[in-house]
Amino acid sequence: MIGLLRGKLLLKQPPDLMLDVNGVGYEVQASMTTFYDLPELQAEVTLYTHFVVREDAQLLYGFSSQTERELFRHLLKVNGVGPKMALAIVSGMNPLEFQQVIHAADIARLSRIPGVGKKTAERLVIELRDRLPKAAGDSVTPTLIAVPETSASDEAVNALLALGYKPVQASQMIAAYENQGLSVEDMIRQALRASLK
């Protein structure tokens, strides 16, 4: 129903965004990969979106590329994978990395994504191996953005909680980076990379 939004970026608090599109504020949940690509507040941004209607909510998920949105949609077709888990997977690795992990049947790496256990990882490999191309993916290099340092570690922890990590785990993951003067996005990126190694 809503496939693309272009408007002014009003708010970015991982994983939530707000876009002003001709005077209408759209709340969007975005992957961390998309967050790395975002410009500063008040700048114009274009997001490819996926609209989810549930009994208790209507949610918009936003992505900086069509490839990332396509991966999200493939993930939703896997039995037992909902939007929250799909967003965590897309946040944990870019589409090319995910395709390589699926074709290599790297169950251990998939299992390190929050909410993805061994059985779900095996299901992902079985169901997506034939759907995903072997060598396609985004060639766009994510651009990191600067975010005010005020309570950056708290924002980073909240972002990990929204992606499905437990509070203690999220705090431990961010603690290693909070005194290094990193932006929220840098802390999240480093923490996610470290957790998937």
Side-chain angles (χ1 to χ4, degrees):
M1 180 179 174
I2 301 172
L4 182 139
L5 291 175
R6 182 179 292 118
K8 188 188 297 183
L9 184 60
L10 297 181
L11 172 76
K12 52 180 183 179
Q13 292 179 326
D16 299 315
L17 302 175
M18 184 176 290
L19 251 59
D20 177 348
V21 181
N22 297 322
V24 178
Y26 286 89
E27 292 180 347
V28 181
Q29 289 191 17
S31 71
M32 292 316 302
T33 310
T34 295
F35 260 88
Y36 304 145
D37 287 338
L38 290 175
E40 295 301 320
L41 292 178
Q42 303 301 315
E44 185 171 285
V45 66
T46 300
L47 293 176
Y48 297 93
T49 59
H50 181 82
F51 186 53
V52 174
V53 178
R54 296 191 328 220
E55 190 175 300
D56 60 341
Q58 296 182 17
L59 304 168
L60 264 177
Y61 294 90
F63 308 94
S64 58
S65 72
Q66 292 186 59
T67 307
E68 195 176 40
R69 180 180 66 179
E70 196 60 33
L71 173 57
F72 181 81
R73 289 176 170 174
H74 278 304
L75 289 165
L76 291 180
K77 293 175 186 172
V78 175
N79 187 28
V81 176
K84 186 173 182 178
M85 184 185 294
L87 196 65
I89 293 169
V90 172
S91 292
M93 55 187 82
N94 68 41
L96 181 58
E97 288 174 316
F98 184 77
Q99 289 166 9
Q100 291 168 343
V101 167
I102 289 296
H103 289 295
D106 191 344
I107 304 299
R109 185 157 180 212
L110 286 169
S111 299
R112 287 193 287 270
I113 297 170
V116 178
K118 185 178 178 187
K119 286 184 180 178
T120 303
E122 290 170 349
R123 195 177 314 121
L124 286 167
V125 169
I126 291 167
E127 293 190 31
L128 293 177
R129 190 171 29 210
D130 296 330
R131 291 188 209 166
L132 298 177
K134 287 196 175 185
D138 281 341
S139 59
V140 177
T141 304
T143 305
L144 297 181
I145 54 175
V147 170
E149 292 295 321
T150 313
S151 70
S153 59
D154 289 340
E155 286 185 43
V157 168
N158 287 336
L160 292 178
L161 293 174
L163 293 172
Y165 286 93
K166 292 185 168 67
V168 173
Q169 186 182 18
S171 296
Q172 289 172 344
M173 288 169 67
I174 296 301
Y177 306 102
E178 61 186 347
N179 293 324
Q180 297 180 14
L182 300 174
S183 69
V184 175
E185 287 81 4
D186 281 337
M187 277 194 270
I188 296 166
R189 174 182 272 186
Q190 297 290 347
L192 288 173
R193 280 188 176 161
S195 73
L196 294 174
K197 285 182 181 176

